[in-house]
């Protein structure tokens, strides 16, 4: 991860949290762990790509290649709201998305089915 948003370590923590939750899920076992890891990648890849692209953009703007120029005001305009989707992310929604992905693929049973099994 590029350093321009200061988000790499935070992403590492988010990744570790989601991996721990998925690998510790009651329906994860040795037969489906590779599919659970696939769900993790499916869920996190889009966010990682978005942060990387915004970090590239921030680096360009720090170097004066932003649309509004290399002035304090221009950089402020160019950098405005660049961090918003990085800071305002609900990590618990990633877990829900990954579990739904696994349920849709038939790897995890629906919660009601799992409770009655």
């Amino acid at each position: 991860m590029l350093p321009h948003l200061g988000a790499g370590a935070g992403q590492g923590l988010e990744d570790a949290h989601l991996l721990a939750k998925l690998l510790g899920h009651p329906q994860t076992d040795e037969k489906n762990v590779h599919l659970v890891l696939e769900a993790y990648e499916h869920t996190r890849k889009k966010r990682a790509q978005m942060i990387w692209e915004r970090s590239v953009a921030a680096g360009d703007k720090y170097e004066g290649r932003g649309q509004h120029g290399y002035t304090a005001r221009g950089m402020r305009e160019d950098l405005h709201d660049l961090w918003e989707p990085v800071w305002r992310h609900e990590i618990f929604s990633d877990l829900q998305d990954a579990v739904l992905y696994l349920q849709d693929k038939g790897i995890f049973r629906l919660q009601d089915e799992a409770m009655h099994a």
Side-chain angles (χ1 to χ4, degrees):
M1 183 58 65
L2 297 171
H4 306 299
L5 291 180
Q11 254 200 293
L13 291 171
E14 290 175 7
D15 288 342
H17 175 81
L18 182 59
L19 276 171
K21 291 292 188 181
L22 287 173
L23 293 174
H25 192 280
Q27 294 187 56
T28 298
D29 59 31
E30 67 278 353
K31 293 179 224 126
N32 66 14
V33 72
H34 66 288
L35 298 167
V36 170
L37 293 173
E38 178 185 296
Y40 157 80
E41 180 180 3
H42 172 81
T43 301
R44 293 294 293 171
K45 191 173 188 174
K46 185 171 139 182
R47 177 164 169 75
Q49 185 65 36
M50 178 272 298
I51 291 174
W52 184 83
E53 288 170 359
R54 284 175 175 262
S55 190
V56 168
D60 286 344
K61 292 167 185 179
Y62 295 155
E63 296 295 324
R65 294 187 296 268
Q67 179 181 357
H68 296 96
Y70 196 55
T71 64
R73 183 178 184 180
M75 289 180 72
R76 190 170 36 255
E77 287 183 44
D78 287 338
L79 294 168
H80 181 69
D81 287 339
L82 196 61
W83 288 270
E84 197 64 27
V86 176
W87 292 344
R88 307 276 184 241
H89 179 71
E90 183 55 58
I91 187 66
F92 299 108
S93 68
D94 286 352
L95 179 58
Q96 290 173 337
D97 291 347
V99 169
L100 285 173
Y101 176 87
L102 290 163
Q103 289 172 344
D104 288 347
K105 297 253 183 211
I107 298 155
F108 280 8
R109 294 183 306 270
L110 297 175
Q111 293 297 357
D112 289 340
E113 293 173 12
M115 292 177 74
H116 299 296

